[in-house]
Amino acid sequence: MGVYEGRRAVVVGGTHGMGLGVVEELLAGGARVLLTGNNEKNLEEVRGRLGPDVHTLRANAAEVADADRLAEAVREHLGGIDFLHVNVGVSELAPATGVTEESYDWMFAVNAKGAFFTVQRLLPLLADGGSIVFTTSVTNQTGTPGMVVYSGTKAAVRAFSRVLAAELLPRGIRVNSVAPGFIHTPSGGFTNATDAEKAEMERMGDTITPMKRHGTVAEVARAVLFLGFEATFTTGVELPVDGGLGQGIG
C-alpha cells in the first residue's frame, strides 16, 4: 500500500515545475489527485504523461468563478479533500518606479486573490484533520530588487496562511507554507523573462545562494509533502527551501 493510499489531493498549479513534482509524488504514493492549470498545452502534456491516474481542470486562479468550478470538480471526482496544495504564482521583474498598474493588478489577482479565494471555496470540502500548504517565496525575507510587487503578493499569502492556521484549529486542519529560493523549473520562477534573462538569473542564483546551486523540484516536493502529511504537530509555519538564501548565512 502506498504512503498516500486513500488520500484525496488537489494541487492548484500542478501542470509543471514544483506543482507537477508534488502531483507525481502523490500519485506514486497512491493518492487520488485533481490538478489545475491555466495553459491548455501544459494540461494536454500532463494528461499524456500521467494518463487516467489524475483529474485535470483548466482554471484561471485570478477568476473566482473558476474556484467555484474547481469546487464542483472536486465534488464530482473526489468527493472531498484531505490535502490542498496552493501553488499559484506569476512574476514580472521591475523596479518600484517601473511597475505599471496592469502588472500590479495581475500579480495580486493571481498570487494573492487567487490563492485566498481558492482556499475559501474549497474549505467546505476539506476534511477535518486535513492540511493546506501554500507556496510562498524566499523573497518574503530577502528584499530582492525588482521584485517589489511579487514579494508583496507572497507576503500576503504568508499572512493568509497564519490566520487560516488559527481559524482552522477547531477542525484540526493544519496550514503551512513552503518558501522556495532558486529552483530549477521550466520558467525559472520568472513568468515573462526572456531566455537571456533566465540565464542571467540562474547564474546569479547560483552565486548568491549559500549552497551555490539551485534546488530541485524533488526537494521542494518533499518539503511540501512533509508539511502536508508528516508534520502533524506543525501549523502556521513557513519552511524555507532556499539553500540558505533567506537565512543570512554564507
Side-chain angles (χ1 to χ4, degrees), residues 13-127:
T15 59
H16 65 284
M18 295 179 288
L20 180 57
V22 172
V23 168
E24 290 176 328
E25 290 288 339
L26 286 165
L27 291 173
R32 298 165 58 199
V33 180
L34 189 156
L35 67 83
T36 75
N38 193 33
N39 182 302
E40 187 58 40
K41 179 182 177 182
N42 289 341
L43 285 164
E44 289 177 2
E45 290 176 355
V46 166
R47 293 184 194 111
R49 180 173 175 174
L50 302 178
D53 291 336
V54 65
H55 301 287
T56 65
L57 177 72
R58 183 171 185 178
N60 181 352
E63 299 293 334
V64 176
D66 282 9
D68 291 328
R69 291 177 51 244
L70 173 57
E72 287 302 317
V74 169
R75 290 187 185 96
E76 177 183 353
H77 296 297
L78 302 180
I81 307 169
D82 301 297
F83 170 66
L84 171 61
H85 180 36
V86 183
N87 179 58
V88 294
V90 293
S91 62
E92 194 164 68
L93 288 169
T97 54
V99 173
T100 65
E101 183 179 3
E102 291 76 17
S103 176
Y104 180 100
D105 288 347
W106 173 56
M107 283 187 270
F108 266 94
V110 174
N111 300 1
K113 175 185 172 183
F116 177 81
F117 282 103
T118 295
V119 172
Q120 185 198 63
R121 293 310 204 260
L122 294 182
L123 274 178
L125 297 167
L126 188 61

Side-chain angles (χ1 to χ4, degrees), residues 122-135:
L122 294 182
L123 274 178
L125 297 167
L126 188 61
D128 291 356
S131 68
I132 301 169
V133 177
F134 290 94
T135 301

